[in-house]
Amino acid sequence: MKIVITGREKFGPSGCRGGLSLEDFRSWSGLLQVEELTSLDSFYNPSVEGIGEKSFEGGDFFGGLAKALSEFIEQEFAVGQPFNLLATVEEPKEEIKDKGPEEFEFLGYDVVNQQLGHSVLVHLGWLIAEAGTNVNAYGLLPDLATATQAVNDFKDHFPGMETAEGVIVGIWRSVRSADSHVDVGDADAVLATK
């Protein structure tokens, strides 16, 4: 199991990406229930400058994760703007939503095309909305079974289309970074040190 710790910019109600607001995204995608998009998409939730990314193969999943997180948690307050500190697991073989690290909340599953750097859920959200699959308020799928079905649906609807191919990634967010629920695009946002 591959584990990645990363910092991602927030995209919520007051955010804007390339002239697109969250409301624009909701209208375009049909995912009207999304209140804050927390994906691994490089456009809507790009990596935060100044926060490294650490990946490792997990034998001792939680021991390794705790060690990696301890290296990142202090960086959270050195960046000077709110962001999401995420712990992710690529291609889980079993349901992991109840197995997260302390101080983190499970948000859901994304489907990520790593070569193109985008979330398939973001780019094909209209298909998910059309199929009646419910993403949660973060724009993520609630469980592994739903994520697996979505991947299969993408393959069936878009055979051989590169942008529809992706891997399932489970996402947890630091509760501490969730407390600073302000968008990076907000110039007045200041991250308060706890």
Side-chain angles (χ1 to χ4, degrees):
M1 185 168 2
K2 184 177 181 184
I3 302 160
V4 177
I5 311 299
T6 186
R8 293 288 181 143
E9 291 187 11
K10 294 190 176 195
F11 183 60
S14 63
C16 189
R17 293 285 184 272
L20 297 172
S21 68
L22 179 64
E23 202 53 47
D24 294 332
F25 168 79
R26 289 164 37 124
S27 296
W28 166 76
S29 68
L31 302 175
L32 303 179
Q33 66 273 39
V34 175
E35 296 174 13
E36 175 194 345
L37 186 64
T38 310
S39 72
L40 297 177
D41 189 80
S42 60
F43 178 73
Y44 288 101
N45 297 108
S47 296
V48 175
E49 191 174 323
I51 293 292
E53 183 172 285
K54 180 169 177 75
S55 64
F56 56 96
E57 296 296 325
D60 175 16
F61 175 67
F62 293 110
L65 185 57
K67 182 179 180 202
L69 290 176
S70 69
E71 297 171 11
F72 279 78
I73 205 79
E74 290 308 316
Q75 291 180 28
E76 185 176 345
F77 297 107
V79 172
Q81 62 189 13
F83 68 93
N84 287 317
L85 182 65
L86 304 177
T88 67
V89 173
E90 295 181 7
E91 301 185 86
K93 303 297 182 217
E94 62 183 5
E95 182 62 66
I96 58 173
K97 65 183 177 180
D98 296 327
K99 299 180 180 181
E102 262 185 63
E103 301 285 325
F104 277 68
E105 61 182 329
F106 185 77
L107 299 185
Y109 293 93
D110 202 350
V111 178
V112 180
N113 184 309
Q114 295 161 321
Q115 292 175 323
L116 299 176
H118 73 246
S119 164
V120 180
L121 298 181
V122 167
H123 288 265
L124 298 177
W126 58 270
L127 176 65
I128 292 170
E130 190 177 278
T133 301
N134 286 326
V135 300
N136 61 25
Y138 301 106
L140 301 172
L141 298 167
D143 55 63
L144 187 58
T146 303
T148 302
Q149 184 62 51
V151 168
N152 292 333
D153 289 347
F154 293 148
K155 287 178 184 173
D156 290 346
H157 284 84
F158 304 101
M161 185 175 170
E162 186 181 12
T163 56
E165 296 173 4
V167 299
I168 297 170
V169 181
I171 301 176
W172 288 274
R173 175 173 59 184
S174 163
V175 175
R176 192 173 1 183
S177 69
D179 289 343
S180 57
H181 191 39
V182 183
D183 291 300
V184 169
D186 184 349
D188 299 324
V190 177
L191 183 59
T193 305
K194 293 185 178 182

